[in-house]
Amino acid sequence: MGLSTVLLVEDDPATRARVSEAIACRPELSLLAAVGTCAEAKEVLDRATPRVLVTDLGLPDGSGIDLIRRVGGVPGSDCMVITIFGDERNVVAALEAGATGYLLKDDPAEDIGAALVRLIDGGSPISAKIARYLVRRFHAGAPDAPPASAGPVDSVSLTERETAVLERIAKGFNYAEVAQSLGMSANTVTSHIKHIYRKLAVHSRSEAVFEAAQLGLIRLR
Amino acid sequence: MNRPARAAALVLLLLACAASGAAGETVRELDEVWFLQSDTPQPPAAEAPGWQRRRLPDDWNHSQPGRAGIGWYRTELDLPEQPRQPWAVDVSRFWMNAAVYVNGIAVGGEGSLTRPGASSWNRPLLFVIPPTLLHAGTNQMEIGVWAYRDVHGGLQGAELGLEAALRPLYERRYFFKVTLNQALLASTLVMAALVGLLWFRRRRDTVYAWFALTSVCWGLKIFTFLVRDPRIDTFFWAWLANAVNYWVAVSTGIMVHRYFGVFRPRLERCMIGYAAVSTALLPLFSLTHTHAVGVVLELGALATVVHVGFLAAWRAWNSHRSDEIVLAGGIVSLIGLAVHDCLLDMGLLAQQDWYLMHYGAPVLCMVLAWLLTSRFVQALNASEATAAELELRIEEKRRELDQSYRRMQDLQRRQAVAEERDRIMRDLHDGLGGQLVAALAMSQRTEQPQPAIRQTLHDALDDLRLVIDSLDPVDGDLLVLLGTARARLEPRLAQQGMRFEWQVNDLPSIQGFGPDKALQVLRIVQEAVANILKHARARTVTIRTGTEPEGAGRPAAVFIEVIDDGAGMAVERAGGRGLGNMRERASRIGGQLQLATGERGTTVRLSLPLDQAA
């Protein structure tokens, strides 16, 4: 297995330098490019697809969401969003576009590298709030969620196990405690989470399609 | 409004025509006749003594006062030959019963001359004389009449002639005196019933009740004109026929009072008293019109009617309202008719034989019914208009209310935004601001080691995250909030070789738990953990949650405990600044903070009542 390529898109030079450095420190990773704008990133993406896209959301010429949508759909690629606060709104938007992880801007350099490697190995970070959001989103409990049987949404519902993981995390338990209470390994927990993120992206896409079909914007065959 | 008045005028015109109906040449009007008071039911012989000349009309009150019983009028009819066509005699008016004989043979009669009780005086009568009864030369004809004592007696007039010539005149008279009266009686009673029914459903409008009563009285009055044979004792019949006059007058008076909205209870009680007393007094004296007491009693009725006539005229004069003018005109006309009938009764209008009041009264009743229904309809229309107006006003008010509600909502929203802005400002000032100032100061002092600045900046960022975490909606879900705090605190615990023991139980969500309260809870927990990090020398920090049932004087609550297994705190420190801060935060969000410390560690317990609105 070769080196995993990383494309870094971050407009703040200092942060870009710090994250670049963190990537360089990890022997498993190789920096494909570190750019500051959407346009530059798209140029790079035209030539090659990175193993991991690490992007800020607020870029001078656009939103990182567009980049995540482009890379997130490619099999074998992961997207990670850099946020300052890890707040629900930004992270969820990125997850729905297809991201499977997030970094905090002030995380220590070693943590950033570790998080990237963990992502490549199939693990994803999550917070109590995001877990709670996901439980609500996938289950009919969320008032704005369409009914589970009303379309393609049904094909991406959560399994019981996945729901159990999310519910425990929403109560503040960490991976180890969740793994123990459910009789699984900590790695299994994080891969469950990554799986859930993927479902969320599909869910959002199919929801969009479903809504568009409902509105008569597109025709489903 | 004018239609009833016009109708009334038309009826009077027709009456006038009928009264002046001209007789043909073949008709002979009787004027000079022979009269004999004989009290025999058969005509006395022409040769009998006592026949005297009388001129028609003959009213016994004048020609032979105080006489009653049977009287015979005789005339002779000279014919050149036996007629081929039937003759007839038209007895236009007589009192009370009559019988007609020609050449000794009865040709007809009304009522009986032997059995008193019939009352046919206001009914035109035509008796046909078959040609075979007549012969060339002189024919004898007798008309017998029977009368009460002191009541009218006599013969108004009679016409003799070919039946073909008399019959149209008779029929016209019959129509106006009988058929029309019957129709008027029926319509008066129907009106009385309808208006009475209206009153029955609207008891407040007593004018309807008085109208119905008046109409019934009038109906009774007309009835006395129509009945041929009352089949009750003559005395009672005469009593009823006269007493009804008082009640007609009084009830008309009170009705007019009601119509004009005049309330004079004492006067009205007097009127009713008058009618009652008169009704009771009448039979004690005499039932004649000419008797002094009877006349005086009648004057009361007249006074009542004149009173309401003046009242109506006065009102109409002042208001100029068309309905009041019509009513006043009607009442005054009726008084005129009443005076006419009185004079007729007294025999002062000898050439006349038409009682008029009972024609005018139903017409007045109809006019009144028309006015009352118009009034009713107007009230109905007005109430409908009012309802529509009301609806409009309600709609307007609703819109205003809507608008003010929206304004209020807008104001509330703005206020909420302002409060939230204030809160965030305060939080940033207290936490982040202070930390950044400290970091700046440190960076200016070159001897300050770099890691200290970095730590301060980290703390600042953490605090900022805390604020932002608190801004995310948590809907009173405390566990999510604690999970958020744990994610941030766990690395720092780990640095010192400590770990969290997570012993959370599901909590009900707290009503009215907003960002400000979330932030205070986060700060309390963070401070408690920070205290442990600084002082406790512990290995494990246990976070425990649960619910407290409603207890003595305490509402149901949830609790969060931060427990360490360290060395405990000295008592003086237990009341120190950090704890004071936490206590203050707890009380700010309606909670309570308890501290228990000992050799085996310290427990900080935050209780929050479930209903934050309380």
Side-chain angles (χ1 to χ4, degrees):
Chain A
M1 206 165 91
L3 293 179
S4 300
T5 53
V6 178
L7 169 59
L8 173 63
V9 189
E10 166 63 62
D11 58 325
D12 173 37
T15 307
R16 192 163 68 229
R18 215 160 65 80
V19 176
S20 300
E21 211 173 290
I23 292 167
C25 287
R26 296 303 292 222
E28 308 93 320
L29 306 175
S30 114
L31 188 64
L32 183 65
V35 296
T37 63
C38 266
E40 288 172 296
K42 281 174 183 163
E43 239 170 70
V44 176
L45 288 175
D46 286 341
R47 285 184 277 110
T49 305
R51 175 70 183 80
V52 181
L53 166 73
V54 178
T55 181
D56 195 1
L57 287 185
L59 295 168
D61 60 342
S63 169
I65 296 284
D66 294 337
L67 301 176
I68 293 170
R69 257 195 214 114
R70 182 160 168 183
V71 177
V74 179
S77 288
D78 279 308
C79 299
M80 223 173 193
V81 61
I82 310 174
T83 81
I84 299 181
F85 300 115
D87 55 308
E88 190 175 295
R89 196 149 47 98
N90 281 325
V91 172
V92 165
L95 293 178
E96 285 183 344
T100 46
Y102 59 91
L103 291 173
L104 296 183
K105 266 189 191 175
D106 66 327
D107 275 343
E110 55 269 33
D111 286 5
I112 290 175
L116 273 167
V117 170
R118 219 178 302 131
L119 184 71
I120 290 162
D121 289 345
S124 281
I126 192 166
S127 75
K129 272 187 193 170
I130 290 166
R132 193 180 71 136
Y133 170 84
L134 291 174
V135 172
R136 290 191 177 184
R137 174 74 190 266
F138 278 100
H139 290 280
D144 52 347
S149 57
V153 176
D154 214 8
S155 59
V156 284
S157 57
L158 294 183
T159 65
E160 261 178 55
R161 209 102 178 116
E162 287 164 344
T163 307
V165 167
L166 286 180
E167 277 173 351
R168 280 169 175 71
I169 287 172
K171 287 177 192 170
F173 291 104
N174 64 19
Y175 293 161
E177 287 158 354
V178 172
Q180 197 189 355
S181 75
L182 292 177
M184 54 174 78
S185 74
N187 279 341
T188 318
V189 173
T190 62
S191 65
H192 268 312
I193 286 160
K194 186 168 193 172
H195 205 111
I196 293 166
Y197 285 167
R198 294 242 186 257
K199 276 188 181 176
L200 174 66
V202 175
H203 192 146
S204 315
R205 267 200 298 279
S206 55
E207 236 172 41
V209 169
F210 181 66
E211 271 161 27
Q214 294 261 300
L215 292 170
L217 298 176
I218 55 171
R219 193 170 304 242
L220 292 176
R221 283 172 189 278
Chain B
M1 286 295 165
N2 274 329
R3 214 179 308 164
R6 238 181 284 147
L10 190 65
V11 168
L12 289 176
L13 191 70
L14 284 171
L15 288 175
C17 288
S20 65
E25 283 169 10
T26 46
V27 172
R28 194 183 127 204
E29 195 164 334
L30 301 189
D31 45 5
E32 282 256 328
V33 291
W34 293 97
F35 176 77
L36 180 62
Q37 179 86 28
S38 88
D39 283 341
T40 54
Q42 307 292 326
E47 302 77 29
W51 287 104
Q52 44 182 281
R53 302 290 291 175
R54 284 269 172 98
R55 286 194 68 82
L56 296 184
D58 176 35
D59 186 341
W60 291 2
N61 281 330
H62 299 293
S63 58
Q64 44 178 35
R67 294 299 299 270
I70 303 169
W72 289 95
Y73 294 90
R74 185 168 62 83
T75 189
E76 287 167 358
L77 175 65
D78 288 321
L79 291 174
E81 55 183 15
Q82 189 177 32
R84 276 189 291 270
Q85 289 167 327
W87 277 58
V89 57
D90 178 337
V91 184
S92 66
R93 192 156 167 240
F94 59 92
W95 297 277
M96 289 286 178
N97 295 352
V100 177
Y101 283 77
V102 172
N103 293 331
I105 308 288
V107 295
E110 181 71 14
S112 161
L113 292 194
T114 51
R115 184 180 65 80
S119 179
S120 312
W121 52 276
N122 195 44
R123 174 176 290 271
L125 294 171
L126 185 75
F127 304 111
V128 178
I129 307 167
T132 49
L133 267 187
L134 298 167
H135 49 74
T138 302
N139 296 274
Q140 298 285 337
M141 188 190 77
E142 292 92 7
I143 301 171
V145 299
W146 173 91
Y148 299 113
R149 178 173 303 280
D150 287 343
V151 184
H152 276 296
L155 181 66
Q156 171 93 18
E159 283 166 338
L160 198 59
L162 283 173
E163 187 202 359
L166 285 177
R167 187 161 285 281
L169 190 70
Y170 161 77
E171 279 176 354
R172 200 154 48 170
R173 255 187 235 226
Y174 188 86
F175 170 77
F176 283 106
K177 284 200 166 182
V178 179
T179 314
L180 181 63
N181 262 336
Q182 284 168 342
L184 289 175
L185 173 62
S187 55
T188 304
L189 293 181
V190 166
M191 274 188 302
L194 288 179
V195 176
L197 211 63
L198 193 62
W199 170 76
F200 192 71
R201 304 302 301 269
R202 275 182 73 83
R203 301 286 177 89
R204 287 182 297 132
D205 292 339
T206 47
V207 65
Y208 298 133
W210 285 106
F211 176 84
L213 191 63
T214 306
S215 300
V216 168
C217 287
W218 278 118
L220 217 54
K221 183 79 194 151
I222 298 170
F223 189 61
T224 64
F225 280 77
L226 281 178
V227 167
R228 298 172 79 165
D229 186 353
R231 289 175 202 283
I232 59 169
D233 189 88
T234 313
F235 178 80
F236 284 116
W237 179 246
W239 186 16
L240 171 73
N242 286 307
V244 78
N245 290 347
Y246 317 138
W247 294 101
V248 161
V250 166
S251 128
T252 304
I254 297 179
M255 173 189 67
V256 171
H257 273 185
R258 290 291 167 281
Y259 187 87
F260 287 107
V262 172
F263 282 90
R264 296 177 63 183
R266 203 184 304 168
L267 179 62
E268 286 169 10
R269 270 202 296 275
C270 283
M271 288 172 164
I272 294 171
Y274 147 74
V277 168
S278 300
T279 306
L281 280 183
L282 188 62
L284 297 184
F285 296 92
S286 163
L287 296 178
T288 63
H289 295 271
T290 48
H291 192 281
V293 175
V295 169
V296 169
L297 296 181
E298 287 278 347
L299 282 180
L302 196 63
T304 308
V305 179
V306 167
H307 156 71
V308 293
F310 270 114
L311 174 73
W314 175 251
R315 285 300 186 98
W317 180 266
N318 283 321
S319 73
H320 295 291
R321 276 173 49 177
S322 56
D323 63 323
E324 295 186 352
I325 291 169
V326 167
L327 182 56
I331 292 170
V332 170
S333 315
L334 198 65
I335 293 171
L337 296 181
V339 169
H340 166 269
D341 286 5
C342 271
L343 295 178
L344 196 61
D345 252 357
M346 293 169 168
L348 297 179
L349 294 174
Q351 300 305 318
Q352 253 284 9
D353 71 336
W354 289 85
Y355 285 91
L356 294 181
M357 191 150 84
H358 59 287
Y359 296 101
V363 174
L364 183 67
C365 281
M366 281 179 216
V367 171
L368 251 164
W370 170 260
L371 295 181
L372 285 177
T373 17
S374 312
R375 195 184 256 203
F376 185 74
V377 167
Q378 271 169 8
L380 209 64
N381 289 347
S383 100
E384 269 170 12
T386 310
E389 161 91 350
L390 210 65
E391 224 161 84
L392 219 74
R393 290 233 296 269
I394 287 174
E395 174 61 21
E396 199 176 309
K397 282 280 170 235
R398 196 192 61 72
R399 260 204 304 273
E400 272 174 33
L401 214 68
D402 222 39
Q403 228 165 30
S404 80
Y405 175 72
R406 237 176 285 144
R407 257 203 308 275
M408 204 171 69
Q409 240 185 355
D410 191 48
L411 216 67
Q412 272 177 344
R413 206 180 51 238
R414 270 191 239 173
Q415 196 184 353
V417 168
E419 275 173 15
E420 192 64 8
R421 191 190 298 126
D422 282 355
R423 189 185 68 76
I424 294 172
M425 289 295 288
R426 205 169 49 236
D427 288 340
L428 291 179
H429 186 267
D430 291 355
L432 190 64
Q435 282 152 338
L436 287 178
V437 167
L440 189 66
M442 286 177 198
S443 70
Q444 282 164 344
R445 294 213 304 269
T446 43
E447 71 269 23
Q448 198 62 241
Q450 275 249 332
I453 296 177
R454 196 186 305 147
Q455 186 55 48
T456 307
L457 287 174
H458 255 301
D459 288 348
L461 208 52
D462 272 348
D463 198 68
L464 194 57
R465 284 210 184 96
L466 201 71
V467 173
I468 284 163
D469 279 346
S470 73
L471 287 177
D472 281 338
V474 293
D475 303 336
D477 188 343
L478 277 178
L479 293 187
V480 166
L481 213 56
L482 292 176
T484 309
R486 177 183 190 177
R488 197 164 22 252
L489 293 170
E490 195 139 43
R492 285 162 69 182
L493 246 59
Q495 272 175 6
Q496 300 202 18
M498 296 187 207
R499 65 178 191 84
F500 270 119
E501 178 83 34
W502 210 247
Q503 293 184 3
V504 297
N505 290 305
D506 285 354
L507 295 177
S509 61
I510 298 174
Q511 292 301 307
F513 196 84
D516 49 337
K517 287 171 180 158
L519 182 62
Q520 301 304 343
V521 170
L522 283 173
R523 284 225 160 108
I524 289 168
V525 171
Q526 185 159 300
E527 187 129 12
V529 173
N531 280 343
I532 296 169
L533 282 168
K534 274 187 209 154
H535 310 292
R537 297 188 304 279
R539 281 194 308 280
T540 311
V541 177
T542 305
I543 303 286
R544 225 160 65 84
T545 66
T547 51
E548 295 169 2
E550 202 171 330
R554 252 183 355 181
V558 300
F559 69 84
I560 302 168
E561 285 181 342
V562 183
I563 307 162
D564 69 70
D565 55 356
M569 289 188 209
V571 180
E572 66 268 20
R573 267 249 332 287
R577 199 172 157 270
L579 188 68
N581 248 340
M582 287 196 283
R583 280 231 158 92
E584 200 217 304
R585 287 186 199 284
S587 73
R588 220 186 290 170
I589 59 176
Q592 259 195 337
L593 197 84
Q594 289 166 305
L595 184 88
T597 182
E599 286 178 7
R600 292 162 74 184
T602 305
T603 300
V604 175
R605 181 184 172 108
L606 170 68
S607 305
L608 290 171
L610 261 179
D611 190 0
Q612 287 280 299

